[in-house]
Amino acid sequence: MSAEAPRRMEPPVSPVAEPFWAATRERRLVVQWCLDCDRPVFYPRDNCPLCLGTSLEWRDCTGEGSLYSFTVNHLSSNPTGGEGPFPVAIVELAEGFRMMSNVVNCPLEELRVDMALSVAWEELSDGRNYPVFEPRGGTA
Ligand SMILES: [Zn+2]
């Protein structure tokens, strides 16, 4: 554990989400896939929210997607103080599901809906990594 204040509140791990977080230790982004209706299921759940099927398996994602929507948060609710204005984004992954995250390595004024993004990782204190996104191809 670093002596520095954490940059973000670290998410708890529920039993159903344990495989998701385990994969982040290897910097792999995974998603549940419903074998009954052949669709991605995110966030992790015991049942598919579309068909209520229980035949779910974990699949690797490409980590590529696009910016579906975003806002800029000027007042952090993080008790550590956060880092000033930061984007809160909905990212549409290539596999067809959306994830709330942050966009990093991109000036706020360059954020654009539909811009191409790739997953990047922020280290958490317990060996997990938190999926964030950056412009595809790195910093412009
Ligand atoms: Zn289903």
Side-chain angles (χ1 to χ4, degrees):
M1 188 99 150
S2 161
E4 293 175 35
R7 295 182 59 228
R8 66 168 67 244
M9 291 186 284
E10 301 199 352
V13 180
S14 64
V16 72
E18 201 284 326
F20 175 86
W21 289 111
T24 72
R25 294 178 184 278
E26 303 167 349
R27 299 190 170 208
R28 288 187 303 116
L29 185 65
V30 297
V31 67
Q32 283 180 304
W33 203 272
C34 176
L35 301 178
D36 294 320
C37 70
D38 195 30
R39 285 188 270 206
V41 173
F42 187 84
Y43 53 90
R45 287 172 254 210
D46 289 322
N47 294 74
C48 171
L50 298 167
C51 76
L52 303 182
T54 56
S55 299
L56 302 174
E57 71 174 17
W58 290 95
R59 293 187 181 178
D60 283 299
C61 296
T62 60
E64 297 197 342
S66 61
L67 185 55
Y68 179 78
S69 185
F70 69 97
T71 188
V72 175
N73 190 347
H74 291 268
L75 292 175
S76 176
S77 60
N78 183 343
T80 66
E83 295 192 343
F86 63 95
V88 177
I90 303 291
V91 178
E92 179 136 34
L93 279 296
E95 288 75 17
F97 67 99
R98 295 175 189 155
M99 174 185 292
M100 185 177 287
S101 183
N102 301 124
V103 178
V104 298
N105 300 327
C106 182
L108 296 175
E109 62 274 13
E110 292 181 18
L111 290 167
R112 297 287 182 273
V113 166
D114 287 337
M115 69 189 293
L117 300 171
S118 296
V119 71
W121 299 97
E122 272 185 26
E123 291 181 15
L124 299 176
S125 66
D126 61 359
R128 292 181 293 156
N129 292 284
Y130 188 88
V132 293
F133 291 82
E134 63 184 1
R136 194 170 308 157
T139 308

